[in-house]
Amino acid sequence: MTDDVPAPDLRAADADREKVAEILRDALAEGRLDMEEFEERLDATYKARTYGELAPITRDLPGAGTAPVPAVSLTKDPARGGGWADRIVGGDDPGTSSWAVAVMSGFQRKGRWTAPRRFNCFAFWGGGEIDLREANFADREIVINAVAIMGGVEVIVPPGVEVVVRGVGIMGGFDHREEGVPAEPGAPRVVVTGLAFWGGVGVERKLPRAERQRLREERRREKLERKEERRRQHLDRADRHRREVEAPRPLHDPLNLHSPHRRPAPRPEDD
């Protein structure tokens, strides 16, 4: 066995099963599989626990004489970029922006930017949004110092980030709902502090836009699959009904006149 082929009894990950499921969906769309075959193989995919169980599911795709479908890699590739280690830039990076002010107006920090070790913001009769879902971090711990006076500041963090809230509210308040959620290994800590006077500082955890789009696409595909399944069941019922209607029916014979086993009545001269 070469290094490129994993042991058949090696445990498969969710990502491996999703690769196989994606190939099956493409094969269904291209007409390589009918709905019944697709359902059987998809069910086997999500039940598979090892590479040995996954490998045969797409072995015959595509058929002879067709363009090749990319093979499913069953080897563990090195971790690609995009993890927390790549997003914590460290060093002397001061961050893309270190402060923001909104006076009867608003501000936003969102998209791909570098959150500094300390970000100061002030909102007076206005509001601000600090979105960290796609941001890099200047350090493993950053502090957002928010002062909201008759205004509000919203802090949006991605899943996996630890949140600590230390702000003070006077006829206002800080949102503590995201505290206590365990952090992912290597994820940064976001400390939210400051003052809210007749205002509020909210903290909300949301999925990144790309992840939300992926989940929407999965739900859309599942909806299409359920719709196709209902259509197939309807066609099956219609086909069974058609066969029942077209099947020959026995002749209505309440007196059993046409029975091949009916004996003829005896004639008087036979007595």
Side-chain angles (χ1 to χ4, degrees):
M1 182 178 291
T2 64
D3 293 339
D4 294 332
V5 181
D9 57 350
L10 189 64
R11 301 285 290 188
D14 289 341
D16 302 316
R17 285 183 280 272
E18 284 300 326
K19 290 179 183 178
V20 175
E22 186 66 26
I23 287 183
L24 294 178
R25 294 186 186 103
D26 291 341
L28 176 66
E30 294 167 1
R32 303 185 195 276
L33 297 175
D34 59 29
M35 180 58 67
E36 185 175 355
E37 292 172 320
F38 169 75
E39 291 172 351
E40 291 176 355
R41 298 194 188 198
L42 189 66
D43 184 60
T45 297
Y46 288 115
K47 289 181 178 178
R49 291 293 176 264
T50 65
Y51 286 129
E53 296 172 347
L54 274 180
I57 296 175
T58 56
R59 185 169 290 163
D60 62 341
L61 296 176
T66 57
V69 173
V72 178
S73 174
L74 297 181
T75 57
K76 291 298 182 182
D77 299 326
R80 299 181 179 179
W84 292 118
D86 297 322
R87 295 179 62 178
I88 300 176
V89 295
D92 297 325
D93 193 334
T96 306
S97 174
S98 59
W99 60 275
V101 175
V103 177
M104 293 184 288
S105 61
F107 69 82
Q108 280 187 329
R109 297 293 184 273
K110 60 190 301 184
R112 297 191 177 277
W113 65 294
T114 301
R117 292 179 178 87
R118 185 177 181 87
F119 184 87
N120 297 302
C121 58
F122 175 77
F124 174 73
W125 279 18
E129 179 182 273
I130 304 168
D131 192 339
L132 301 173
R133 287 178 292 177
E134 299 178 16
N136 291 328
F137 298 82
D139 205 345
R140 190 167 296 277
E141 178 177 298
I142 67 168
V143 177
I144 296 178
N145 181 46
V147 177
I149 300 177
M150 292 181 287
V153 175
E154 185 73 16
V155 180
I156 302 174
V157 300
V161 169
E162 181 184 3
V163 176
V164 178
V165 180
R166 299 174 180 166
V168 177
I170 301 175
M171 291 183 289
F174 278 72
D175 191 347
H176 291 260
R177 289 177 296 176
E178 298 300 339
E179 281 193 302
V181 178
E184 294 179 357
R189 170 189 286 187
V190 177
V191 179
V192 181
T193 185
L195 172 68
F197 178 73
W198 280 17
V201 177
V203 182
E204 188 172 4
R205 198 180 301 269
K206 292 183 179 180
L207 288 171
R209 291 178 177 83
E211 181 67 12
R212 289 164 58 192
Q213 179 62 31
R214 185 186 68 82
L215 292 176
R216 281 197 297 267
E217 180 64 19
E218 287 185 358
R219 288 194 294 268
R220 185 186 68 83
R221 288 178 177 175
E222 292 173 356
K223 183 178 180 180
L224 290 176
E225 291 169 7
R226 291 194 298 268
K227 182 178 180 181
E228 180 62 24
E229 172 64 15
R230 290 194 297 269
R231 186 186 71 84
R232 187 179 65 85
Q233 292 175 354
H234 176 75
L235 292 176
D236 288 344
R237 289 194 297 267
D239 185 61
R240 287 196 301 269
H241 179 70
R242 178 184 59 80
R243 290 197 300 266
E244 292 173 358
V245 170
E246 295 177 353
R249 296 183 179 182
L251 184 65
H252 182 66
D253 188 13
L255 300 179
N256 201 25
L257 298 177
H258 297 275
S259 172
H261 303 293
R262 181 177 178 273
R263 297 178 61 183
R267 293 178 297 178
E269 58 270 18
D270 292 338
D271 294 338

